[in-house]
Amino acid sequence: MIQQLRIYEIFENNKAAFHARFRDHAARIMATYGFHILAMWETRTETKSGEPRTEFIYILEWPDEATKTAAWAAFMKDEEWAQIKRVTSAEHGTLVGGIEDRTMTLTAYSPAIG
């Protein structure tokens, strides 16, 4: 098993629209491609210049790298998802800024291994 950490910069002026899109559409469509979301968070941090930054963070679990890669490729080609992104972006503007993506593999001594 591997985990994937995703961190999205979101914006205070339209974060409710982001959350609605993720909750009502992205998570549902992702599930059809085998995405297993373990947990989701929102956090506020400061940039190096001291500006506030709001982030949406979630962790996915995958059986292996090949499954993760194939699922993301299928999701990114999904016509319903593309249409939802077009509509929500036209209505609310840019909902996501920078995206960080990390694949995480447990160490041999991780408490999660047991």
Side-chain angles (χ1 to χ4, degrees), residues 53-114:
R53 176 179 161 120
T54 303
E55 297 172 327
F56 173 73
I57 301 167
Y58 64 109
I59 295 177
L60 298 156
E61 186 169 65
W62 301 100
D64 53 53
E65 185 73 30
T67 302
K68 175 182 81 91
T69 300
W72 273 106
F75 174 69
M76 296 309 287
K77 291 179 190 173
D78 186 277
E79 267 307 309
E80 181 186 6
W81 177 235
Q83 178 64 18
I84 289 165
K85 284 176 60 175
R86 280 191 294 274
V87 169
T88 56
S89 294
E91 186 176 343
H92 301 285
T94 301
L95 297 184
V96 177
I99 298 174
E100 296 179 41
D101 182 21
R102 297 182 182 100
T103 300
M104 303 180 298
T105 306
L106 289 170
T107 62
Y109 53 88
S110 174
I113 289 180

Side-chain angles (χ1 to χ4, degrees), residues 9 12-13 16 26 30 34 36 39-40 42 49 51 53 59 70 72 76 87 96:
E9 176 186 18
E12 286 297 316
N13 66 314
M30 287 172 161
H36 179 211
M40 297 175 246
E42 184 179 302
S49 64
E51 296 294 318
R53 176 179 161 120
I59 295 177
W72 273 106
M76 296 309 287
V87 169
V96 177

Side-chain angles (χ1 to χ4, degrees), residues 1-77:
M1 274 303 170
I2 59 173
Q3 284 76 37
Q4 182 181 17
L5 173 68
R6 302 274 297 175
I7 303 171
Y8 296 177
E9 176 186 18
I10 60 175
F11 308 108
E12 286 297 316
N13 66 314
N14 59 10
K15 78 176 183 177
F18 167 83
H19 283 296
R21 183 172 80 177
F22 197 93
R23 180 190 64 238
D24 300 340
H25 303 291
R28 173 183 53 79
I29 297 168
M30 287 172 161
T32 68
Y33 293 107
F35 285 62
H36 179 211
I37 300 172
L38 294 178
M40 297 175 246
W41 299 266
E42 184 179 302
T43 184
R44 282 188 55 95
T45 61
E46 280 189 10
T47 64
K48 290 181 182 181
S49 64
E51 296 294 318
R53 176 179 161 120
T54 303
E55 297 172 327
F56 173 73
I57 301 167
Y58 64 109
I59 295 177
L60 298 156
E61 186 169 65
W62 301 100
D64 53 53
E65 185 73 30
T67 302
K68 175 182 81 91
T69 300
W72 273 106
F75 174 69
M76 296 309 287
K77 291 179 190 173

